[in-house]
Amino acid sequence: SQPRRRPAEAVQPVQPRRPLDDGGEADPLAGERPELAQLDAQAKAARAEARAARRELLPDLTYSLNGGFDAGDFRPVGRYAGGSAIISLNIPIFNFGASRSRERQARLRSEQLDIQRELLMRQLRQEFYINRANALGAIERIRETRGFTEKHDQHLHALPHEEGNYP
């Protein structure tokens, strides 16, 4: 029982990253993060729930049309055919505030999710800029080390040396 592998053509190539030391600002959340997509979906569902609760307070008109026949033989179908139509009008007068309560709860849940999304965005931006600063610092240390190494090599080559003791 070996693990199943995806075909080679289904694997997406890795996109090269833009260097961080070019002075430009990269968008910290350029790709859609799954956490953000989840919060957006939950907020959308809460807003839909609020709209549904609000619609419960509106009048509701329903109709139904039916037709058929009651015969053992198809030849005299016209004599045994019939139909019906039903129309229903539902006007909500009082439901003890249940619909308004559900609407308010859904609206508050939506607001809570919007605030939670904003906090997550701030946290992700902060993590991005901290990691970016660390990477830029590492790049600068590499440059300094490279410069020191080149100066050291120049000094070593400038020193007189004896035959066979070349560094």
PDB file of all heavy atoms in Angstrom, residues 4-37:
ATOM      1  N   ARG A   4      -0.596   7.360  -2.742  1.00  0.00           N
ATOM      2  CA  ARG A   4      -0.948   7.783  -4.091  1.00  0.00           C
ATOM      3  C   ARG A   4      -0.255   9.093  -4.413  1.00  0.00           C
ATOM      4  O   ARG A   4      -0.184   9.991  -3.597  1.00  0.00           O
ATOM      5  CB  ARG A   4      -2.458   7.951  -4.203  1.00  0.00           C
ATOM      6  CG  ARG A   4      -3.184   6.637  -4.034  1.00  0.00           C
ATOM      7  CD  ARG A   4      -4.649   6.806  -4.013  1.00  0.00           C
ATOM      8  NE  ARG A   4      -5.090   7.526  -5.196  1.00  0.00           N
ATOM      9  CZ  ARG A   4      -6.346   7.835  -5.449  1.00  0.00           C
ATOM     10  NH1 ARG A   4      -7.271   7.490  -4.604  1.00  0.00           N
ATOM     11  NH2 ARG A   4      -6.674   8.492  -6.524  1.00  0.00           N
ATOM     12  N   ARG A   5       0.245   9.201  -5.623  1.00  0.00           N
ATOM     13  CA  ARG A   5       0.940  10.407  -6.047  1.00  0.00           C
ATOM     14  C   ARG A   5       0.139  11.089  -7.142  1.00  0.00           C
ATOM     15  O   ARG A   5      -0.503  10.440  -7.947  1.00  0.00           O
ATOM     16  CB  ARG A   5       2.332  10.074  -6.571  1.00  0.00           C
ATOM     17  CG  ARG A   5       3.223   9.508  -5.504  1.00  0.00           C
ATOM     18  CD  ARG A   5       4.554   9.201  -6.083  1.00  0.00           C
ATOM     19  NE  ARG A   5       5.343   8.505  -5.094  1.00  0.00           N
ATOM     20  CZ  ARG A   5       6.627   8.656  -4.958  1.00  0.00           C
ATOM     21  NH1 ARG A   5       7.282   9.446  -5.752  1.00  0.00           N
ATOM     22  NH2 ARG A   5       7.280   8.000  -4.036  1.00  0.00           N
ATOM     23  N   ARG A   6       0.256  12.391  -7.155  1.00  0.00           N
ATOM     24  CA  ARG A   6      -0.403  13.143  -8.213  1.00  0.00           C
ATOM     25  C   ARG A   6       0.446  13.054  -9.472  1.00  0.00           C
ATOM     26  O   ARG A   6       1.666  12.960  -9.400  1.00  0.00           O
ATOM     27  CB  ARG A   6      -0.544  14.606  -7.812  1.00  0.00           C
ATOM     28  CG  ARG A   6      -1.481  14.795  -6.645  1.00  0.00           C
ATOM     29  CD  ARG A   6      -1.828  16.217  -6.446  1.00  0.00           C
ATOM     30  NE  ARG A   6      -0.634  17.034  -6.225  1.00  0.00           N
ATOM     31  CZ  ARG A   6      -0.657  18.321  -5.996  1.00  0.00           C
ATOM     32  NH1 ARG A   6      -1.786  18.955  -5.970  1.00  0.00           N
ATOM     33  NH2 ARG A   6       0.442  18.993  -5.797  1.00  0.00           N
ATOM     34  N   PRO A   7      -0.187  13.117 -10.643  1.00  0.00           N
ATOM     35  CA  PRO A   7       0.596  13.122 -11.873  1.00  0.00           C
ATOM     36  C   PRO A   7       1.485  14.358 -11.934  1.00  0.00           C
ATOM     37  O   PRO A   7       1.170  15.405 -11.374  1.00  0.00           O
ATOM     38  CB  PRO A   7      -0.450  13.154 -12.981  1.00  0.00           C
ATOM     39  CG  PRO A   7      -1.776  13.063 -12.334  1.00  0.00           C
ATOM     40  CD  PRO A   7      -1.602  13.120 -10.862  1.00  0.00           C
ATOM     41  N   ALA A   8       2.594  14.244 -12.632  1.00  0.00           N
ATOM     42  CA  ALA A   8       3.579  15.321 -12.681  1.00  0.00           C
ATOM     43  C   ALA A   8       2.994  16.586 -13.292  1.00  0.00           C
ATOM     44  O   ALA A   8       3.337  17.689 -12.885  1.00  0.00           O
ATOM     45  CB  ALA A   8       4.805  14.881 -13.477  1.00  0.00           C
ATOM     46  N   GLU A   9       2.081  16.457 -14.248  1.00  0.00           N
ATOM     47  CA  GLU A   9       1.547  17.660 -14.883  1.00  0.00           C
ATOM     48  C   GLU A   9       0.586  18.413 -13.972  1.00  0.00           C
ATOM     49  O   GLU A   9       0.293  19.571 -14.203  1.00  0.00           O
ATOM     50  CB  GLU A   9       0.864  17.333 -16.213  1.00  0.00           C
ATOM     51  CG  GLU A   9      -0.338  16.418 -16.099  1.00  0.00           C
ATOM     52  CD  GLU A   9       0.042  14.945 -16.170  1.00  0.00           C
ATOM     53  OE1 GLU A   9       1.226  14.609 -16.322  1.00  0.00           O
ATOM     54  OE2 GLU A   9      -0.869  14.114 -16.063  1.00  0.00           O
ATOM     55  N   ALA A  10       0.078  17.765 -12.909  1.00  0.00           N
ATOM     56  CA  ALA A  10      -0.839  18.430 -11.994  1.00  0.00           C
ATOM     57  C   ALA A  10      -0.100  19.269 -10.963  1.00  0.00           C
ATOM     58  O   ALA A  10      -0.694  20.113 -10.314  1.00  0.00           O
ATOM     59  CB  ALA A  10      -1.718  17.413 -11.289  1.00  0.00           C
ATOM     60  N   VAL A  11       1.190  19.071 -10.789  1.00  0.00           N
ATOM     61  CA  VAL A  11       1.957  19.816  -9.800  1.00  0.00           C
ATOM     62  C   VAL A  11       2.274  21.204 -10.361  1.00  0.00           C
ATOM     63  O   VAL A  11       2.779  21.333 -11.469  1.00  0.00           O
ATOM     64  CB  VAL A  11       3.260  19.068  -9.444  1.00  0.00           C
ATOM     65  CG1 VAL A  11       4.093  19.883  -8.484  1.00  0.00           C
ATOM     66  CG2 VAL A  11       2.935  17.708  -8.870  1.00  0.00           C
ATOM     67  N   GLN A  12       1.943  22.223  -9.600  1.00  0.00           N
ATOM     68  CA  GLN A  12       2.184  23.593 -10.035  1.00  0.00           C
ATOM     69  C   GLN A  12       3.642  23.962  -9.791  1.00  0.00           C
ATOM     70  O   GLN A  12       4.185  23.651  -8.732  1.00  0.00           O
ATOM     71  CB  GLN A  12       1.283  24.571  -9.258  1.00  0.00           C
ATOM     72  CG  GLN A  12      -0.188  24.348  -9.508  1.00  0.00           C
ATOM     73  CD  GLN A  12      -0.572  24.687 -10.924  1.00  0.00           C
ATOM     74  OE1 GLN A  12       0.000  25.580 -11.532  1.00  0.00           O
ATOM     75  NE2 GLN A  12      -1.527  23.953 -11.467  1.00  0.00           N
ATOM     76  N   PRO A  13       4.283  24.640 -10.743  1.00  0.00           N
ATOM     77  CA  PRO A  13       5.667  25.054 -10.516  1.00  0.00           C
ATOM     78  C   PRO A  13       5.731  26.148  -9.455  1.00  0.00           C
ATOM     79  O   PRO A  13       4.803  26.927  -9.290  1.00  0.00           O
ATOM     80  CB  PRO A  13       6.108  25.591 -11.885  1.00  0.00           C
ATOM     81  CG  PRO A  13       4.844  25.980 -12.559  1.00  0.00           C
ATOM     82  CD  PRO A  13       3.779  25.053 -12.046  1.00  0.00           C
ATOM     83  N   VAL A  14       6.833  26.174  -8.730  1.00  0.00           N
ATOM     84  CA  VAL A  14       7.025  27.167  -7.694  1.00  0.00           C
ATOM     85  C   VAL A  14       7.383  28.498  -8.359  1.00  0.00           C
ATOM     86  O   VAL A  14       8.282  28.560  -9.199  1.00  0.00           O
ATOM     87  CB  VAL A  14       8.153  26.734  -6.724  1.00  0.00           C
ATOM     88  CG1 VAL A  14       8.418  27.813  -5.700  1.00  0.00           C
ATOM     89  CG2 VAL A  14       7.780  25.433  -6.057  1.00  0.00           C
ATOM     90  N   GLN A  15       6.664  29.539  -7.985  1.00  0.00           N
ATOM     91  CA  GLN A  15       6.925  30.852  -8.550  1.00  0.00           C
ATOM     92  C   GLN A  15       8.114  31.472  -7.831  1.00  0.00           C
ATOM     93  O   GLN A  15       8.226  31.384  -6.605  1.00  0.00           O
ATOM     94  CB  GLN A  15       5.702  31.769  -8.364  1.00  0.00           C
ATOM     95  CG  GLN A  15       4.470  31.286  -9.102  1.00  0.00           C
ATOM     96  CD  GLN A  15       4.664  31.322 -10.596  1.00  0.00           C
ATOM     97  OE1 GLN A  15       5.316  32.205 -11.137  1.00  0.00           O
ATOM     98  NE2 GLN A  15       4.125  30.320 -11.278  1.00  0.00           N
ATOM     99  N   PRO A  16       9.030  32.094  -8.578  1.00  0.00           N
ATOM    100  CA  PRO A  16      10.169  32.724  -7.912  1.00  0.00           C
ATOM    101  C   PRO A  16       9.702  33.897  -7.063  1.00  0.00           C
ATOM    102  O   PRO A  16       8.795  34.621  -7.437  1.00  0.00           O
ATOM    103  CB  PRO A  16      11.050  33.198  -9.073  1.00  0.00           C
ATOM    104  CG  PRO A  16      10.139  33.274 -10.236  1.00  0.00           C
ATOM    105  CD  PRO A  16       9.048  32.277 -10.010  1.00  0.00           C
ATOM    106  N   ARG A  17      10.330  34.031  -5.910  1.00  0.00           N
ATOM    107  CA  ARG A  17       9.975  35.116  -5.008  1.00  0.00           C
ATOM    108  C   ARG A  17      10.720  36.378  -5.377  1.00  0.00           C
ATOM    109  O   ARG A  17      11.843  36.333  -5.850  1.00  0.00           O
ATOM    110  CB  ARG A  17      10.311  34.742  -3.567  1.00  0.00           C
ATOM    111  CG  ARG A  17       9.423  33.669  -3.044  1.00  0.00           C
ATOM    112  CD  ARG A  17       9.669  33.472  -1.592  1.00  0.00           C
ATOM    113  NE  ARG A  17       8.736  32.485  -1.079  1.00  0.00           N
ATOM    114  CZ  ARG A  17       8.782  32.035   0.131  1.00  0.00           C
ATOM    115  NH1 ARG A  17       9.678  32.451   0.970  1.00  0.00           N
ATOM    116  NH2 ARG A  17       7.906  31.149   0.528  1.00  0.00           N
ATOM    117  N   ARG A  18      10.061  37.488  -5.127  1.00  0.00           N
ATOM    118  CA  ARG A  18      10.685  38.769  -5.371  1.00  0.00           C
ATOM    119  C   ARG A  18      11.679  39.039  -4.257  1.00  0.00           C
ATOM    120  O   ARG A  18      11.383  38.800  -3.087  1.00  0.00           O
ATOM    121  CB  ARG A  18       9.596  39.839  -5.361  1.00  0.00           C
ATOM    122  CG  ARG A  18      10.038  41.115  -6.003  1.00  0.00           C
ATOM    123  CD  ARG A  18       8.888  42.063  -6.052  1.00  0.00           C
ATOM    124  NE  ARG A  18       9.076  42.968  -4.939  1.00  0.00           N
ATOM    125  CZ  ARG A  18       8.192  43.849  -4.549  1.00  0.00           C
ATOM    126  NH1 ARG A  18       7.052  43.939  -5.160  1.00  0.00           N
ATOM    127  NH2 ARG A  18       8.436  44.651  -3.560  1.00  0.00           N
ATOM    128  N   PRO A  19      12.876  39.528  -4.571  1.00  0.00           N
ATOM    129  CA  PRO A  19      13.840  39.790  -3.503  1.00  0.00           C
ATOM    130  C   PRO A  19      13.328  40.878  -2.567  1.00  0.00           C
ATOM    131  O   PRO A  19      12.647  41.800  -2.980  1.00  0.00           O
ATOM    132  CB  PRO A  19      15.098  40.248  -4.241  1.00  0.00           C
ATOM    133  CG  PRO A  19      14.691  40.511  -5.636  1.00  0.00           C
ATOM    134  CD  PRO A  19      13.382  39.829  -5.890  1.00  0.00           C
ATOM    135  N   LEU A  20      13.669  40.739  -1.297  1.00  0.00           N
ATOM    136  CA  LEU A  20      13.186  41.688  -0.296  1.00  0.00           C
ATOM    137  C   LEU A  20      14.040  42.941  -0.211  1.00  0.00           C
ATOM    138  O   LEU A  20      13.621  43.924   0.353  1.00  0.00           O
ATOM    139  CB  LEU A  20      13.161  41.013   1.082  1.00  0.00           C
ATOM    140  CG  LEU A  20      12.134  39.899   1.246  1.00  0.00           C
ATOM    141  CD1 LEU A  20      12.306  39.254   2.595  1.00  0.00           C
ATOM    142  CD2 LEU A  20      10.743  40.449   1.095  1.00  0.00           C
ATOM    143  N   ASP A  21      15.245  42.912  -0.760  1.00  0.00           N
ATOM    144  CA  ASP A  21      16.145  44.033  -0.542  1.00  0.00           C
ATOM    145  C   ASP A  21      16.067  45.064  -1.654  1.00  0.00           C
ATOM    146  O   ASP A  21      16.934  45.900  -1.771  1.00  0.00           O
ATOM    147  CB  ASP A  21      17.584  43.529  -0.401  1.00  0.00           C
ATOM    148  CG  ASP A  21      18.062  42.796  -1.627  1.00  0.00           C
ATOM    149  OD1 ASP A  21      17.229  42.333  -2.413  1.00  0.00           O
ATOM    150  OD2 ASP A  21      19.279  42.680  -1.787  1.00  0.00           O
ATOM    151  N   ASP A  22      15.023  45.020  -2.489  1.00  0.00           N
ATOM    152  CA  ASP A  22      14.950  45.985  -3.570  1.00  0.00           C
ATOM    153  C   ASP A  22      14.269  47.281  -3.142  1.00  0.00           C
ATOM    154  O   ASP A  22      14.062  48.167  -3.959  1.00  0.00           O
ATOM    155  CB  ASP A  22      14.240  45.376  -4.780  1.00  0.00           C
ATOM    156  CG  ASP A  22      12.772  45.051  -4.485  1.00  0.00           C
ATOM    157  OD1 ASP A  22      12.346  45.146  -3.331  1.00  0.00           O
ATOM    158  OD2 ASP A  22      12.072  44.692  -5.435  1.00  0.00           O
ATOM    159  N   GLY A  23      13.874  47.391  -1.892  1.00  0.00           N
ATOM    160  CA  GLY A  23      13.279  48.616  -1.387  1.00  0.00           C
ATOM    161  C   GLY A  23      11.787  48.703  -1.633  1.00  0.00           C
ATOM    162  O   GLY A  23      11.126  49.575  -1.117  1.00  0.00           O
ATOM    163  N   GLY A  24      11.218  47.810  -2.435  1.00  0.00           N
ATOM    164  CA  GLY A  24       9.790  47.837  -2.720  1.00  0.00           C
ATOM    165  C   GLY A  24       9.012  47.134  -1.625  1.00  0.00           C
ATOM    166  O   GLY A  24       9.537  46.309  -0.907  1.00  0.00           O
ATOM    167  N   GLU A  25       7.760  47.487  -1.529  1.00  0.00           N
ATOM    168  CA  GLU A  25       6.895  46.867  -0.534  1.00  0.00           C
ATOM    169  C   GLU A  25       6.115  45.744  -1.198  1.00  0.00           C
ATOM    170  O   GLU A  25       5.427  45.960  -2.185  1.00  0.00           O
ATOM    171  CB  GLU A  25       5.918  47.900   0.043  1.00  0.00           C
ATOM    172  CG  GLU A  25       6.584  48.926   0.926  1.00  0.00           C
ATOM    173  CD  GLU A  25       7.091  48.332   2.211  1.00  0.00           C
ATOM    174  OE1 GLU A  25       6.399  47.495   2.809  1.00  0.00           O
ATOM    175  OE2 GLU A  25       8.194  48.700   2.611  1.00  0.00           O
ATOM    176  N   ALA A  26       6.236  44.554  -0.684  1.00  0.00           N
ATOM    177  CA  ALA A  26       5.443  43.434  -1.172  1.00  0.00           C
ATOM    178  C   ALA A  26       4.159  43.383  -0.356  1.00  0.00           C
ATOM    179  O   ALA A  26       4.150  43.734   0.813  1.00  0.00           O
ATOM    180  CB  ALA A  26       6.217  42.128  -1.012  1.00  0.00           C
ATOM    181  N   ASP A  27       3.073  42.976  -0.974  1.00  0.00           N
ATOM    182  CA  ASP A  27       1.816  42.847  -0.258  1.00  0.00           C
ATOM    183  C   ASP A  27       1.920  41.651   0.674  1.00  0.00           C
ATOM    184  O   ASP A  27       2.137  40.534   0.225  1.00  0.00           O
ATOM    185  CB  ASP A  27       0.674  42.653  -1.246  1.00  0.00           C
ATOM    186  CG  ASP A  27      -0.674  42.635  -0.562  1.00  0.00           C
ATOM    187  OD1 ASP A  27      -0.753  42.919   0.649  1.00  0.00           O
ATOM    188  OD2 ASP A  27      -1.647  42.326  -1.240  1.00  0.00           O
ATOM    189  N   PRO A  28       1.779  41.857   1.990  1.00  0.00           N
ATOM    190  CA  PRO A  28       1.978  40.750   2.919  1.00  0.00           C
ATOM    191  C   PRO A  28       0.928  39.655   2.785  1.00  0.00           C
ATOM    192  O   PRO A  28       1.158  38.526   3.164  1.00  0.00           O
ATOM    193  CB  PRO A  28       1.905  41.414   4.291  1.00  0.00           C
ATOM    194  CG  PRO A  28       1.160  42.664   4.079  1.00  0.00           C
ATOM    195  CD  PRO A  28       1.457  43.095   2.666  1.00  0.00           C
ATOM    196  N   LEU A  29      -0.236  39.984   2.247  1.00  0.00           N
ATOM    197  CA  LEU A  29      -1.301  38.995   2.148  1.00  0.00           C
ATOM    198  C   LEU A  29      -1.739  38.851   0.692  1.00  0.00           C
ATOM    199  O   LEU A  29      -2.926  38.800   0.391  1.00  0.00           O
ATOM    200  CB  LEU A  29      -2.486  39.425   3.016  1.00  0.00           C
ATOM    201  CG  LEU A  29      -2.148  39.668   4.480  1.00  0.00           C
ATOM    202  CD1 LEU A  29      -3.302  40.292   5.205  1.00  0.00           C
ATOM    203  CD2 LEU A  29      -1.731  38.388   5.140  1.00  0.00           C
ATOM    204  N   ALA A  30      -0.765  38.790  -0.211  1.00  0.00           N
ATOM    205  CA  ALA A  30      -1.087  38.748  -1.632  1.00  0.00           C
ATOM    206  C   ALA A  30      -1.921  37.526  -1.973  1.00  0.00           C
ATOM    207  O   ALA A  30      -2.894  37.608  -2.697  1.00  0.00           O
ATOM    208  CB  ALA A  30       0.197  38.774  -2.456  1.00  0.00           C
ATOM    209  N   GLY A  31      -1.553  36.373  -1.455  1.00  0.00           N
ATOM    210  CA  GLY A  31      -2.337  35.163  -1.709  1.00  0.00           C
ATOM    211  C   GLY A  31      -3.487  35.097  -0.722  1.00  0.00           C
ATOM    212  O   GLY A  31      -3.406  35.617   0.383  1.00  0.00           O
ATOM    213  N   GLU A  32      -4.558  34.496  -1.112  1.00  0.00           N
ATOM    214  CA  GLU A  32      -5.705  34.379  -0.216  1.00  0.00           C
ATOM    215  C   GLU A  32      -5.390  33.354   0.859  1.00  0.00           C
ATOM    216  O   GLU A  32      -5.112  32.197   0.571  1.00  0.00           O
ATOM    217  CB  GLU A  32      -6.939  33.971  -1.015  1.00  0.00           C
ATOM    218  CG  GLU A  32      -8.217  34.003  -0.229  1.00  0.00           C
ATOM    219  CD  GLU A  32      -8.620  35.392   0.236  1.00  0.00           C
ATOM    220  OE1 GLU A  32      -8.275  36.370  -0.435  1.00  0.00           O
ATOM    221  OE2 GLU A  32      -9.287  35.486   1.270  1.00  0.00           O
ATOM    222  N   ARG A  33      -5.416  33.789   2.093  1.00  0.00           N
ATOM    223  CA  ARG A  33      -5.123  32.905   3.221  1.00  0.00           C
ATOM    224  C   ARG A  33      -6.371  32.104   3.575  1.00  0.00           C
ATOM    225  O   ARG A  33      -7.486  32.620   3.541  1.00  0.00           O
ATOM    226  CB  ARG A  33      -4.693  33.743   4.430  1.00  0.00           C
ATOM    227  CG  ARG A  33      -3.506  34.653   4.230  1.00  0.00           C
ATOM    228  CD  ARG A  33      -2.223  33.917   4.322  1.00  0.00           C
ATOM    229  NE  ARG A  33      -2.135  33.218   5.577  1.00  0.00           N
ATOM    230  CZ  ARG A  33      -1.084  33.198   6.352  1.00  0.00           C
ATOM    231  NH1 ARG A  33      -0.001  33.836   5.984  1.00  0.00           N
ATOM    232  NH2 ARG A  33      -1.069  32.519   7.471  1.00  0.00           N
ATOM    233  N   PRO A  34      -6.232  30.838   3.951  1.00  0.00           N
ATOM    234  CA  PRO A  34      -7.413  30.033   4.289  1.00  0.00           C
ATOM    235  C   PRO A  34      -8.154  30.563   5.519  1.00  0.00           C
ATOM    236  O   PRO A  34      -9.375  30.469   5.594  1.00  0.00           O
ATOM    237  CB  PRO A  34      -6.853  28.637   4.537  1.00  0.00           C
ATOM    238  CG  PRO A  34      -5.384  28.759   4.574  1.00  0.00           C
ATOM    239  CD  PRO A  34      -5.007  30.064   3.963  1.00  0.00           C
ATOM    240  N   GLU A  35      -7.410  31.148   6.469  1.00  0.00           N
ATOM    241  CA  GLU A  35      -8.075  31.695   7.657  1.00  0.00           C
ATOM    242  C   GLU A  35      -9.004  32.844   7.264  1.00  0.00           C
ATOM    243  O   GLU A  35     -10.110  32.960   7.780  1.00  0.00           O
ATOM    244  CB  GLU A  35      -7.051  32.229   8.667  1.00  0.00           C
ATOM    245  CG  GLU A  35      -6.011  31.230   9.118  1.00  0.00           C
ATOM    246  CD  GLU A  35      -4.720  31.316   8.318  1.00  0.00           C
ATOM    247  OE1 GLU A  35      -4.700  31.959   7.254  1.00  0.00           O
ATOM    248  OE2 GLU A  35      -3.722  30.733   8.748  1.00  0.00           O
ATOM    249  N   LEU A  36      -8.527  33.694   6.344  1.00  0.00           N
ATOM    250  CA  LEU A  36      -9.341  34.821   5.905  1.00  0.00           C
ATOM    251  C   LEU A  36     -10.539  34.350   5.094  1.00  0.00           C
ATOM    252  O   LEU A  36     -11.646  34.872   5.243  1.00  0.00           O
ATOM    253  CB  LEU A  36      -8.497  35.792   5.072  1.00  0.00           C
ATOM    254  CG  LEU A  36      -7.357  36.475   5.819  1.00  0.00           C
ATOM    255  CD1 LEU A  36      -6.525  37.317   4.870  1.00  0.00           C
ATOM    256  CD2 LEU A  36      -7.905  37.328   6.937  1.00  0.00           C
ATOM    257  N   ALA A  37     -10.339  33.354   4.252  1.00  0.00           N
ATOM    258  CA  ALA A  37     -11.444  32.820   3.454  1.00  0.00           C
ATOM    259  C   ALA A  37     -12.515  32.214   4.362  1.00  0.00           C
ATOM    260  O   ALA A  37     -13.718  32.377   4.122  1.00  0.00           O
ATOM    261  CB  ALA A  37     -10.924  31.783   2.467  1.00  0.00           C
TER     262      ALA A  37
END
